Structures are given as structure tokens and as C-alpha cells.
Amino acid sequence: MRDPAEAQRRATAAAIAAARAKAEVMAAGAGVRLGELLALHDPNAQMDMAISADDIGSMSLANARPRVEIAVSPKAIETQARVSARYAIQR
């Protein structure tokens, strides 16, 4: 995958569109209209974790295990996104 960030952006945009479509179906079933978007949340958002050069320098290799070769075959990469959306209801 050349640009994982772009793939994640596209997956998130698709998740937002799917959330709206589902909300519209639910509103229609309840006999109301979907109002404005009140809140949008990405439960998969992760905090970035950084390790400094000082942290790496302090790591001990005394207990490191020898390298083991593992055969790996490439598979298709799947990118997913999940969002939670809250909309106002209009009558």
C-alpha cells in the first residue's frame, strides 16, 4: 500500500456516508426526518506514540533472542473505519 493514510481517509469518509444513510433509513422508519449532524466520533482513533533516540539507547539487547527467518507471503490489505454519528430529528 503506497499511502495508508489516504486509504484510511477514504475508509473514514465511506463510514461517515454509511452512518448517514443508516440514520436516514432509521428516521424514515420512525416517521421523522433527519436533522443536522450533532456529533461525530471515531472510536478507532489512536494516539501517536513516539520513542526518542534516548529511549532507544537505553534499551538493553542483553536478553535479545537470535533472529529467526519466517516465510511470509503477501496478502491483500484491507482498511476499515468505524464512526459513531448523532443527528437531530425533525418532525
Side-chain angles (χ1 to χ4, degrees), residues 34-58:
L34 197 61
E36 67 179 288
L37 178 64
L38 300 176
L40 188 60
H41 174 68
D42 179 357
N44 299 314
Q46 299 174 356
M47 292 177 32
D48 289 332
M49 189 171 154
I51 298 177
S52 71
D54 292 335
D55 294 333
I56 293 171
S58 67

Side-chain angles (χ1 to χ4, degrees), residues 5-84:
E6 176 59 25
Q8 190 62 52
R9 282 190 290 275
R10 286 186 286 138
T12 300
I16 293 168
R20 180 170 183 85
K22 185 174 182 177
E24 287 174 343
V25 169
M26 293 172 70
V32 296
R33 292 183 311 144
L34 197 61
E36 67 179 288
L37 178 64
L38 300 176
L40 188 60
H41 174 68
D42 179 357
N44 299 314
Q46 299 174 356
M47 292 177 32
D48 289 332
M49 189 171 154
I51 298 177
S52 71
D54 292 335
D55 294 333
I56 293 171
S58 67
M59 293 178 185
S60 172
L61 297 177
N63 297 324
R65 295 183 181 175
R67 177 180 282 191
V68 176
E69 295 294 326
I70 299 173
V72 177
S73 60
K75 304 264 185 213
I77 296 173
E78 182 177 301
T79 302
Q80 297 180 350
R82 173 178 276 173
V83 297
S84 173

